[in-house]
Amino acid sequence: MISRPKSTMIVSAKRRGRGHGGWSKNNPYLAERWVEIPIDIYPASLASRILTVREQISTEWVQDLDVVLAANDLILDSYFAKIQMERERDGGNTGEAIGARTTDIAFERTAIHLMNDNTRFQPTASSPFRRGNFDLLYNLCTQAAVHRILRQQRTNGEEMEVSSVFLRNFYVDRAEEYFDGDLPYGRADDFIDELLQTAPAVLRTNDGKTGFIDPLGAAESIIRMRNEVAMEWKETMARVQEDHTGIRQALLTDSMQYWGGEGEEGISSGSGDDDDGGAGNLSFQ
């Protein structure tokens, strides 16, 4: 983008006409009038803005990944606390298998509340889509954790073990519901919740192996791996501004050439047939 030439975009806006600006839409004698506004496009300036936004998001994600780690550590504690409360409410019956639950949720959803508490008193304003970005980050961490576990099991030759087959099938069957496309908030927690509420059962694999599935153990593995993913991503996000140093230097050089007069001839007012420059046209009613 930095190397792209400067160009001019022509924005056409209707000044008056039928049904516009208070004029009657049924007047056949009213001619339409348009005004053309030339706008200079400086790609290097757009690149600088993109870098600024990316740095802001990375700074927020360093903080938000701490929230992911904190929320992660609370999931199993909340899960076992709810089981204990149910047993006490039912008169101390301990014969119920872990995973066979009667409540709607397996654990308290703390991630978004921790994020809100974390941002409420921060000295700088958050980016416009901070909550959506956090939810996306939380979801991606969960999906990356599942992928890493499955890859490790395949590398270790365990992909046909009962535990690996169960997790792979559970994930593949629900990937579209919890991880793909435009999703409501909290789908990462929903995925772990459904896994925790899955009752233990006997599973027979295609190669004839039979064994008990352990949904709780699978959830613990995902939570543990999600912590590792979050810590690695936090280190990566902390280096984003440093990684931009070379790009910023190129931007500074380009800006100095442009404002020094060397780049003025780069602005073209041609017909726009050439993809490398020229004038584009947009019309607004």
Side-chain angles (χ1 to χ4, degrees):
M1 182 179 288
I2 298 175
S3 62
R4 297 285 294 181
K6 294 77 181 173
S7 61
T8 300
M9 177 178 291
I10 305 298
V11 178
S12 299
K14 183 183 287 187
R15 187 172 183 179
R16 81 168 199 177
R18 292 190 296 272
H20 184 81
W23 297 93
S24 171
K25 63 180 180 180
N26 300 318
N27 187 344
Y29 303 102
L30 184 62
E32 294 184 347
R33 293 185 180 179
W34 295 79
V35 58
E36 293 187 344
I37 306 171
I39 300 177
D40 292 336
I41 305 299
Y42 183 30
S45 176
L46 297 177
S48 178
R49 296 178 188 180
I50 291 173
L51 292 180
T52 299
V53 173
R54 188 159 67 176
E55 289 172 2
Q56 181 184 13
I57 293 175
S58 68
T59 300
E60 292 177 349
W61 276 13
V62 169
Q63 303 170 12
D64 293 347
L65 285 165
D66 282 333
V67 175
V68 172
L69 292 168
N72 228 22
D73 293 337
L74 296 174
I75 290 176
L76 291 179
D77 289 342
S78 174
Y79 172 71
F80 289 120
K82 279 184 169 290
I83 289 179
Q84 183 63 31
M85 289 177 60
E86 287 184 7
R87 288 176 175 174
E88 292 176 354
R89 183 192 60 196
D90 295 338
N93 178 20
T94 58
E96 182 183 0
I98 293 179
R101 301 180 52 81
T102 59
T103 57
D104 293 334
I105 60 174
F107 60 91
E108 294 295 334
R109 311 303 174 85
T110 60
I112 190 63
H113 301 299
L114 291 174
M115 196 276 287
N116 289 336
D117 291 340
N118 188 53
T119 59
R120 185 171 292 117
F121 302 108
Q122 66 179 15
T124 57
S126 297
S127 57
F129 304 105
R130 178 74 177 271
R131 183 177 179 182
N133 290 340
F134 172 78
D135 188 72
L136 175 61
L137 176 65
Y138 198 29
N139 213 18
L140 290 176
C141 279
T142 306
Q143 189 174 33
V146 176
H147 287 182
R148 288 193 185 188
I149 292 172
L150 294 176
R151 282 197 298 266
Q152 286 182 359
Q153 291 173 341
R154 184 173 62 249
T155 301
N156 297 335
E158 302 171 354
E159 60 180 333
M160 297 309 297
E161 297 294 329
V162 171
S163 59
S164 181
V165 172
F166 164 69
L167 178 59
R168 183 173 64 250
N169 292 344
F170 186 90
Y171 169 71
V172 170
D173 292 343
R174 295 161 178 80
E176 183 176 358
E177 179 183 359
Y178 291 114
F179 299 106
D180 293 344
D182 187 14
L183 301 170
Y185 289 125
R187 298 308 274 167
D189 279 339
D190 291 342
F191 177 79
I192 299 295
D193 193 294
E194 184 175 349
L195 181 57
L196 286 172
Q197 297 203 59
T198 301
V202 176
L203 174 68
R204 183 181 179 85
T205 63
N206 292 333
D207 62 350
K209 292 182 179 179
T210 303
F212 280 98
I213 61 171
D214 182 14
L216 176 59
E220 289 177 331
S221 297
I222 294 173
I223 291 170
R224 185 164 54 250
M225 183 62 73
R226 189 162 61 179
N227 269 349
E228 295 181 15
V229 171
M231 287 187 287
E232 290 181 14
W233 287 8
K234 180 181 176 181
E235 294 178 0
T236 301
M237 292 298 104
R239 294 195 302 266
V240 166
Q241 191 166 356
E242 180 182 349
D243 293 341
H244 285 173
T245 301
I247 305 177
R248 290 287 189 188
Q249 290 175 347
L251 278 171
L252 179 60
T253 300
D254 187 85
S255 298
M256 291 177 65
Q257 292 176 349
Y258 177 74
W259 296 113
E262 297 181 16
E264 289 294 338
E265 65 271 19
I267 298 181
S268 171
S269 58
S271 63
D273 295 333
D274 189 353
D275 215 353
D276 292 332
N281 290 275
L282 289 178
S283 297
F284 295 95
Q285 297 293 330

